[in-house]
Amino acid sequence: MTTGGRQMDDITIEAMPTKELFVHVLTRDIRLEDAVLDLIDNSIDGAKRLRPAADARFDDLWVKIICSSERFVIEDNCGGINVHTARNYAFRFGRDPKMAPTPNSIGQFGVGMKRALLRFGRFFRIESTSESEHFVLLIDVDNWLRDPEWHFRFDTVRARAPNEARGTKIIVERLTEDAAARFPTDEFVTALKNSVESRQQDYLGRGLAVWIGPARIGARPFQLLFDEELKPSRREKVYFGDSDTPVRAEFIVGVAPSSPMEAGWYVACNGRVILAADQSRITGWDTVTDDGVPKYHNQFSRFRGYATFDCIDAGKLPWNTMKTGVDPDATIYQDARREMITMMRPVIDFLNRLDAEKEEPEDERPLTRLVESARPTSFREATGYTASFSVTVSSKPRGPRMTNILYKRPASKVEELMQAIGARSAKDTGERSFDEAYRRYVEGDEE
Amino acid sequence: MTASYKKIDYRLRPAKHAERLIIAEIGGRLRFFDIHSYRYVGLGSPYFADFKLMHRALGISSMLNIEAMERDRERFNWNMPYATIDMRYGTTDTILPALDWTMPSIVWLDYDDQLSQPKLLDIDLLVRRAAPGSLLLFSVNAEPPAPPGQRRNASGDEASRSDFVEALRAMVGKDRVDPSLKHEDLQGWSAGRVYRRIMTAVIEATLAAANAVITQAERRRRWRQILNIEYKDGARMLTLGGVLYEESQEGAYLAGAFEKLSFFRDDATAYRIEVPRLTLKEMAHLERSVMHSPDEVHELPWLTPKERRQYLQLYRYLPNFVPAEI
């Protein structure tokens, strides 16, 4: 048996990956929007290499995306890729452990860019100007698939010209069928804008300009309600604190203006949001909100939770390769999820009490008044967090706890009874007949 | 739901009384720290029987009470036996995460209703947050599962005829219920065994997750079950108790010699508190023979050997009072 020209003996098994695995299999699981986000993440990592400080501003840096039925273009001024990196790492499938990683990077598996390009089309033109070099690389995927070798070839390599702007421009052509169909639609562009806004808001907030067509995506920082008597909680935890690459976790929970679509947990790794408005078991939501009693109201639409994980070594963070979710089995996340549950319980308890206030007369709803008068504040700028979510206004329901009774009877019978006892409405009929039964069967006992 | 303290006078329940004294005896054997440095955290009824005992028997003076019935605040404050008890009004969901857990504690979450998701989350929180050296006790109603929101009646009403397994899933979440479990496995005292297994599974999973991110081996946490008690004054109840400590404190755990106590149980076999109904005179007479093995005591021939044995195992923990108003 021969493979790739090499002779194999009888007990050796071929394990070499095929190119088709990368072109047809790895591209299957990722959505087009998420693949675009992956490319923007690469630009952001470039920005981080240019400005490594944790809170560095990116005001003059930009990423521009244009997509049509013919081509996809992404261009940035975030520093460019140097020839050494391009030759040895950037276009290899999988991260080479010898490569010096970008501290706190958001691309870490060495698949993002390649997978995105293959997801979009079959011809790529990559042009990049770094500190001292400029290169152009053309890749025709169909030719590459026919080639037994695993090489790409530069089209141009030269020194950077004086004053030549640094940055990278990637053009994808011969789009895949679904990319060609979806790229020109408003539906796709809107979904992409929403994804960028929620998933990369940390960087947008630091000044990075992301343009999709003619529109710049604005930063819309998360907000929480603050008041002297209503304080969101914040908790920090350091994992592997005695190692060179500790993971710093921060958990924040509180309430916000009511929005069923935005309620839930947000989980970010190195600033990149990987889960947004999550209300699933991944974030422990079901454990806390499902006490076995079915819920009829959207009473949790004010809940907001933010869990952020930061580490110099991106490989230690609990995310999946598509950055669309957490790795729920990661030991850090196993512990963090329990912290999240602990922290959200007082908030859920509060929201249940808030919901119960609907049964009270309008002037006896202190919790409702509290959330309506509290001021929304951007959660990064806020001060005055507590260790555990606290509400100091007492809900103190005066009088006994009330419960509803709901039942149906034939309308004609209800009307007969209404007339017989002189009630004003079906509700009144129900209440009066209950009171009558109570007098007869409960109070009657005590005589 | 009416608070259970309105239905039962806790002082008159003999098995509960015995349980309290058993817990105090364990407290007295804690060797991790000076017992006076411990804090007691409880869910006291207005009788505060556990608080009085923890202070009188162990000398603990730092105490904190969690009470959900905020409406009865005035009554609770008035009945508080020691002015320094820190009274916190609210549910355990809200109060437990807000407490400072840096001091070693004896925590007894003596719930009077059935196991539920929130109770399992309380257990999870304590196992992660309680200071090493703490004694943790969890008591729940051990009657067969009733769907949440429905009261279980002793005689077969609608709720008790419905499938116990479904009810259990609704109580604790379906992922915590072994798929091979059958309705019959939840009848009578068997239900308590299932509850204990679920509680223990939560403790183990929580510890495994917490320890997986602790790099120093001597800081890893350990749970040792000491108590697995069943009793029935009215409804069936179960108490799971144990100590939580770091590996470096193994010596202090061993020094407590908990395994020497007759009620020590570190496995699924429960210690059942059964109080024989004897007259005061019979009790006094039997007590003369307490140093003998119960099998060698043949006095009071009208008592069954089982009654004699039950009394001689438990007499130190039983109430010997006559009703008296003071």
Side-chain angles (χ1 to χ4, degrees), chain B residues 21-42:
Chain B
L21 292 181
I22 283 170
I23 288 171
E25 183 143 352
I26 290 174
R29 284 181 172 244
L30 292 171
R31 295 290 176 269
F32 301 101
F33 304 100
D34 172 18
I35 190 69
H36 290 162
S37 66
Y38 275 69
R39 168 182 63 177
Y40 178 69
V41 178

Side-chain angles (χ1 to χ4, degrees), chain A residues 356 359-361 364 395-403, chain B residues 1 6 69-72:
Chain A
E359 309 288 323
E360 304 289 325
E364 289 178 28
S395 57
K396 207 184 275 177
R398 281 146 295 265
R401 202 171 65 87
M402 307 293 266
T403 185
Chain B
M1 194 179 66
K6 293 192 173 163
M69 289 286 164
E70 208 174 343
R71 260 181 273 132
D72 291 347

Side-chain angles (χ1 to χ4, degrees), chain A residues 82-92 94 96 99 154:
Chain A
N82 66 40
V83 169
H84 176 78
T85 302
R87 175 171 286 142
N88 296 297
Y89 306 109
F91 296 98
R92 282 191 71 171
D96 185 328
M99 178 185 174
F154 286 119

Side-chain angles (χ1 to χ4, degrees), chain B residues 36-65:
Chain B
H36 290 162
S37 66
Y38 275 69
R39 168 182 63 177
Y40 178 69
V41 178
L43 314 176
S45 73
Y47 301 103
F48 289 100
D50 47 340
F51 286 77
K52 288 179 202 162
L53 183 67
M54 291 297 159
H55 182 67
R56 288 188 179 184
L58 299 175
I60 292 178
S61 43
S62 169
M63 296 184 151
L64 189 143
N65 184 44

